[in-house]
Amino acid sequence: MDAKGISRAVISRLPRYYRYLGELMEDGVERISSNELSEKMRVTASQIRQDLNNFGGFGQQGYGYNVQYLYTEIGKILGLDHVHHMIILGAGNLGQALANYVQFEKRGFKVVGLFDVNPVLAGVSVRGIEIKMISDLEEFLKNNSVQIAALTLPKNKAAEMADLLVANNIKAIWNFAHLDLTLPENVIVENVHLSESLMRLSYNLNRYVNEHQQ
Amino acid sequence: MDAKGISRAVISRLPRYYRYLGELMEDGVERISSNELSEKMRVTASQIRQDLNNFGGFGQQGYGYNVQYLYTEIGKILGLDHVHHMIILGAGNLGQALANYVQFEKRGFKVVGLFDVNPVLAGVSVRGIEIKMISDLEEFLKNNSVQIAALTLPKNKAAEMADLLVANNIKAIWNFAHLDLTLPENVIVENVHLSESLMRLSYNLNRYVNEHQQ
């Protein structure tokens, strides 16, 4: 639960609502009932109504949801109504993939810096952003407003870099390194552990195979 | 719940146990009590005992867990005791990042093919794997044993490719495209929606900022 009493489960579902509503807008849909949305998203209509009621409802009985309004409001809840400056530490394939991903910028996540330890990468540009050395990071953070840092460095560098980020007032870390960061409570961490995701896939695949061999 | 009555929550925690046990082994630790493991992983000792009891326990009262044994057994449960052949559809930065990630191969996920639609990439090698065109995919699947396909293609191509994979008997899809795939029930899908992860980070960051401004 957060301060408004909204559960983590609800919050983790909001981006999916946002994605579907965005698609509906692209398709020119102006209104949608919770039943129609339920069919599209394959969650129950009552779940949808419950989830959205956490934020004051948005719907009118027998009339459905105004797609654009709901999209905008969920966007505000998710903090997408203003621009976040993001830096990426680690300019390997994954860091470059994140830097190249134009959808992030459309959602207000603007990559303003890309850092690595490998001198071969110094000065290489990715989508107009010149890769800098991590030795320049502190200076950069002093002179630029940055809210989010993505960590795509190897595990053995990630903890030290996270501490440096926190010492320089970064409040949100998007962590792709395969470790759990130990940071002050007021620092937000969102982990993307790709290995663990792949293991879940493997578990489910093997379970399926085993069940059907029996 | 799956067929053995093991909840999704337990399963989703297993890879994390596996990661910590692997680190303990690297550090030369042979035995660990649930209390010590609890401190390291920051979950309660009773949670650990409960989780591991789902698979028959592994621990001995007053004696703790044998790290190597537990690591091996959880590995088996996760299906990491045998090799999975994986192909990657989409050889952009993200696809190449996955292909380059040596840890996957250490865990038994061997990348055997890398495909793209962009002719500029044809014949380019990533870690010894030559990028092929998607037009060669069906032929490749007929002649090679493949269990897992990672989808790092743009959204507008992903659904069609997933159907093609399923038609060619692929049973597990690791989906990085920003859509929910509609596939037969016997196909395992594990989604990695990076945009949604970033939005959760943004939500939590903004919530924190708002609470501390009030």
Side-chain angles (χ1 to χ4, degrees), chain B residues 18-75:
Chain B
Y18 190 76
R19 173 157 56 88
Y20 273 86
L21 291 163
E23 285 171 10
L24 287 167
M25 274 171 62
E26 278 173 27
D27 294 345
V29 177
E30 288 177 12
R31 306 206 152 269
I32 192 161
S33 68
S34 49
N35 285 331
E36 288 167 309
L37 193 56
S38 152
E39 227 168 89
K40 255 189 127 54
M41 293 185 62
R42 285 186 270 167
V43 289
T44 64
S46 100
Q47 165 97 82
I48 291 177
R49 283 189 295 264
Q50 263 179 42
D51 281 351
L52 299 180
N53 275 339
N54 278 297
F55 305 97
F58 306 124
Q60 275 178 267
Q61 193 78 39
Y63 189 68
Y65 297 105
N66 176 316
V67 173
Q68 168 130 37
Y69 176 72
L70 189 52
Y71 178 82
T72 308
E73 291 303 307
I74 292 181

Side-chain angles (χ1 to χ4, degrees), chain A residues 2-3 16 19-20 77-78 82 93 100-101 174 178 180 186 190 196-197 202-203 206-208 211, chain B residues 2-3 16 19-20 78 82 93 100-101 174 178 180 186 190 196-197 202-203 206-208 211:
Chain A
D2 74 358
R16 191 158 174 266
R19 173 158 55 89
Y20 273 86
I77 293 162
L78 291 170
H82 53 273
N93 286 120
N100 271 316
Y101 197 62
W174 198 18
H178 293 101
D180 299 319
N186 65 348
E190 167 82 17
E196 300 188 6
S197 170
S202 161
Y203 173 87
N206 287 285
R207 198 199 68 197
Y208 177 81
E211 281 168 19
Chain B
D2 73 359
R16 192 159 173 266
R19 173 157 56 88
Y20 273 86
L78 291 170
H82 54 273
N93 286 120
N100 271 316
Y101 197 61
W174 198 19
H178 294 100
D180 300 319
N186 64 348
E190 168 81 17
E196 299 189 7
S197 169
S202 161
Y203 173 87
N206 287 286
R207 197 199 70 197
Y208 177 82
E211 281 169 17

Side-chain angles (χ1 to χ4, degrees), chain A residues 55-72:
Chain A
F55 305 98
F58 305 125
Q60 275 177 269
Q61 194 78 41
Y63 188 69
Y65 298 105
N66 177 317
V67 173
Q68 167 129 38
Y69 177 72
L70 189 51
Y71 178 82
T72 308

Side-chain angles (χ1 to χ4, degrees), chain B:
Chain B
M1 294 284 177
D2 73 359
K4 288 179 185 154
I6 296 164
S7 76
R8 280 177 65 91
V10 175
I11 290 153
S12 75
R13 284 194 290 269
L14 285 186
R16 192 159 173 266
Y17 285 113
Y18 190 76
R19 173 157 56 88
Y20 273 86
L21 291 163
E23 285 171 10
L24 287 167
M25 274 171 62
E26 278 173 27
D27 294 345
V29 177
E30 288 177 12
R31 306 206 152 269
I32 192 161
S33 68
S34 49
N35 285 331
E36 288 167 309
L37 193 56
S38 152
E39 227 168 89
K40 255 189 127 54
M41 293 185 62
R42 285 186 270 167
V43 289
T44 64
S46 100
Q47 165 97 82
I48 291 177
R49 283 189 295 264
Q50 263 179 42
D51 281 351
L52 299 180
N53 275 339
N54 278 297
F55 305 97
F58 306 124
Q60 275 178 267
Q61 193 78 39
Y63 189 68
Y65 297 105
N66 176 316
V67 173
Q68 168 130 37
Y69 176 72
L70 189 52
Y71 178 82
T72 308
E73 291 303 307
I74 292 181
K76 280 186 207 167
I77 292 163
L78 291 170
L80 307 178
D81 55 339
H82 54 273
V83 172
H84 294 91
H85 286 181
M86 177 159 80
I87 57 170
I88 299 169
L89 305 197
N93 286 120
L94 183 56
Q96 294 199 22
L98 299 181
N100 271 316
Y101 197 61
V102 290
Q103 288 294 329
F104 295 154
E105 196 158 319
K106 279 197 198 158
R107 300 274 184 266
F109 301 97
K110 189 172 163 57
V111 178
V112 294
L114 196 49
F115 294 84
D116 207 285
V117 286
N118 183 355
V120 171
L121 291 171
V124 172
S125 274
V126 180
R127 222 157 53 90
I129 305 154
E130 208 176 90
I131 299 173
K132 293 183 181 64
M133 291 296 95
I134 279 190
S135 48
D136 300 328
L137 179 61
E138 279 202 84
E139 187 65 22
F140 184 89
L141 291 174
K142 285 195 179 88
N143 298 321
N144 293 275
S145 158
V146 175
Q147 290 83 48
I148 299 173
L151 264 189
T152 67
L153 291 162
K155 194 163 96 168
N156 59 352
K157 295 243 168 15
E160 183 195 340
M161 283 303 125
D163 290 340
L164 183 67
L165 289 166
V166 170
N168 285 279
N169 216 25
I170 294 290
K171 290 281 179 266
I173 295 181
W174 198 19
N175 176 42
F176 289 78
H178 294 100
L179 81 171
D180 300 319
L181 298 169
T182 308
L183 298 174
E185 268 195 17
N186 64 348
V187 178
I188 313 290
V189 178
E190 168 81 17
N191 292 307
V192 181
H193 289 317
L194 294 179
S195 285
E196 299 189 7
S197 169
L198 190 50
M199 287 182 202
R200 281 192 292 274
L201 183 66
S202 161
Y203 173 87
N204 286 312
L205 178 62
N206 287 286
R207 197 199 70 197
Y208 177 82
V209 170
N210 289 334
E211 281 169 17
H212 287 77
Q213 273 172 350
Q214 282 162 4

